[in-house]
Amino acid sequence: MVADGAEKMEGVALNGWKDLPMELLLRIVSLGDDRTVIVVSGVCTGWRDAICAGLGRLCLSWCKDNMNNLVLSLAPKFAKLQTLSLRQNKPQLEDNGVETIANYCHDLRELDLSKSLRLSDQSLYALAHGCPRLTKLNISGCSSLGDAALAYLTSFCRNLKNLNLCGCVRAASDRALQAIGLNCRQLQTLNLGWCETVTDKGVIGLALGCPDLRALDLCGCILITDESVIALANGCPHLRSLGLYYCQNITDRAIYSLAENSRVKRKHVWDSVHRSHSSSNNEKEGLMNLNISQCTALTPNAVQTLCDSFPALHTCSGRHSLIISGCLSLTSVHCACAVQAHPRAGIGLADHAY
């Protein structure tokens, strides 16, 4: 309400909009998008200070041009940021932009730099010193980054839990994975999709050092063999998601290793009648997603054993968490839903394709 030139709110007279309580200002700003935040922060010194002190998340992915200049301008103001997304559809961000972030945003926890093709190792070195509290880093598609710089980063950012290296063909080497295993024991999610130089040596080092790993994407890592999967089965008891698309050196030996190390298999012995009552609890344990598409060396017996060991792996329509496309020999593999849907058919359903 406006009366006598002054705004009133809950009985408190305000001399102008600049006197809005910080909590109210932040709540109003939160109703808009991140472009609104930037505009509002430029209205007056009071609003800028309030927003800079209270803003924890910012996304600039909407910026189609001049993102780097925007970062250079905003990073010194928004020094309290904890989450920053700079995902790009075309390369804009440069090293000096990342260096500015590292110089001012020391509380940063989550950073998305995906598709930043212009960045060099200089950016990773800057983040290592300026943002040691990082827990989530996405540098997917940053093909110019090297493994020495990534290894250096992990020696400072030891709290990393989520790391996306998809397409980082130079950075994601065995040397870097061994450094991650040595430095980042809290790591839970790692994407190594299409990092074609990764071998068993790197994955084994990762498995030995990251026992809390929950999700690992090795799709397109064509050099890995059974040894990698066996190391993961033995060293990562909390693994819930594993991508092995086009890893054609994987054989039944790896699949049986996963089944033998199944926590579900050790804790639960269940038959077709018991499944209908306990499957929801069982599915909370063990592998929940597995992509073995184009792994043409696998046989139905091995994959069926794995599927029986992990009730969360589904081949049925609408619940595909066991992806076997491109493996025509595996069409007879079925999940627990088959027994539930056709209890009288029993084991004969093994020959039914899903």
Side-chain angles (χ1 to χ4, degrees):
M1 297 179 61
V2 179
D4 298 328
E7 292 81 5
K8 294 184 178 181
M9 182 188 66
E10 297 183 356
V12 178
L14 303 176
N15 293 322
W17 287 106
K18 65 182 180 61
D19 295 323
L20 277 175
M22 182 179 72
E23 295 80 4
L24 178 58
L25 176 61
L26 291 175
R27 182 172 297 182
I28 294 173
V29 170
S30 68
L31 298 176
D33 58 20
D34 289 313
R35 279 173 279 201
T36 302
V37 172
I38 296 171
V39 172
V40 171
S41 68
V43 171
C44 64
T45 302
W47 282 21
R48 184 196 65 196
D49 293 344
I51 291 176
C52 292
L55 189 68
R57 305 173 63 90
L58 184 65
C59 175
L60 300 181
S61 297
W62 48 265
C63 184
K64 306 304 180 183
D65 296 290
N66 299 315
M67 178 186 286
N68 199 67
N69 289 335
L70 192 59
V71 169
L72 292 173
S73 172
L74 295 179
K77 301 176 184 178
F78 298 145
K80 299 298 183 181
L81 284 176
Q82 294 192 9
T83 300
L84 177 60
S85 177
L86 300 174
R87 184 179 183 87
Q88 303 144 74
N89 289 322
K90 67 176 183 179
Q92 300 180 63
L93 200 62
E94 299 179 4
D95 286 328
N96 63 342
V98 177
E99 289 176 331
T100 303
I101 293 169
N103 287 336
Y104 290 95
C105 304
H106 303 305
D107 291 330
L108 206 59
R109 304 299 201 277
E110 301 182 8
L111 179 60
D112 187 344
L113 299 175
S114 51
K115 298 185 180 180
S116 298
L117 298 179
R118 295 181 179 178
L119 298 186
S120 72
D121 290 352
Q122 188 175 340
S123 289
L124 294 186
Y125 289 124
L127 290 174
H129 292 286
C131 305
R133 298 182 182 181
L134 281 174
T135 60
K136 183 176 182 179
L137 177 63
N138 186 346
I139 52 174
S140 60
C142 297
S143 54
S144 297
L145 302 179
D147 59 350
L150 179 59
Y152 186 84
L153 173 83
T154 65
S155 67
F156 287 84
C157 301
R158 292 175 175 262
N159 296 321
L160 280 172
K161 292 185 177 181
N162 189 315
L163 182 59
N164 191 335
L165 302 175
C166 181
C168 295
V169 293
R170 293 183 60 244
S173 68
D174 289 340
R175 173 187 180 184
L177 292 187
Q178 289 177 318
I180 292 171
L182 179 65
N183 298 320
C184 305
R185 296 189 61 83
Q186 300 180 53
L187 192 69
Q188 296 183 356
T189 302
L190 177 61
N191 189 334
L192 294 172
W194 306 106
C195 296
E196 297 179 352
T197 62
V198 170
T199 72
D200 292 334
K201 183 178 180 181
V203 178
I204 291 172
L206 181 73
L208 291 174
C210 302
D212 201 29
L213 197 62
R214 311 294 177 89
L216 177 61
D217 192 338
L218 294 169
C219 293
C221 296
I222 57 177
L223 298 181
I224 68 167
T225 71
D226 293 339
E227 301 305 322
S228 288
V229 179
I230 292 171
L232 292 168
N234 291 329
C236 304
H238 305 294
L239 195 63
R240 298 292 177 265
S241 179
L242 180 61
L244 297 172
Y245 171 75
Y246 217 77
C247 297
Q248 297 187 335
N249 293 320
I250 301 299
T251 71
D252 288 352
R253 180 166 168 253
I255 299 303
Y256 282 123
S257 176
L258 286 170
E260 290 168 2
N261 284 275
S262 166
R263 292 170 58 195
V264 177
K265 189 174 183 179
R266 293 198 303 266
K267 291 183 177 181
H268 303 281
V269 179
W270 41 281
D271 54 26
S272 60
V273 176
H274 185 57
R275 291 179 191 182
S276 61
H277 300 288
S278 63
S279 60
S280 61
N281 290 328
N282 289 338
E283 289 190 8
K284 297 178 182 179
E285 302 291 343
L287 275 177
M288 301 178 68
N289 291 280
L290 177 64
N291 187 344
I292 49 175
S293 297
Q294 301 297 332
C295 295
T296 52
L298 301 179
T299 66
N301 286 341
V303 179
Q304 185 64 65
T305 299
L306 183 69
C307 197
D308 291 341
S309 300
F310 297 103
L313 293 180
H314 291 277
T315 57
C316 56
S317 178
R319 302 183 70 184
H320 290 293
S321 54
L322 175 59
I323 305 174
I324 56 177
S325 60
C327 301
L328 296 179
S329 63
L330 302 181
T331 55
S332 63
V333 175
H334 67 279
C335 59
C337 296
V339 177
Q340 296 176 24
H342 306 279
R344 293 183 180 179
I347 197 169
L349 285 172
D351 296 326
H352 190 77
Y354 283 82

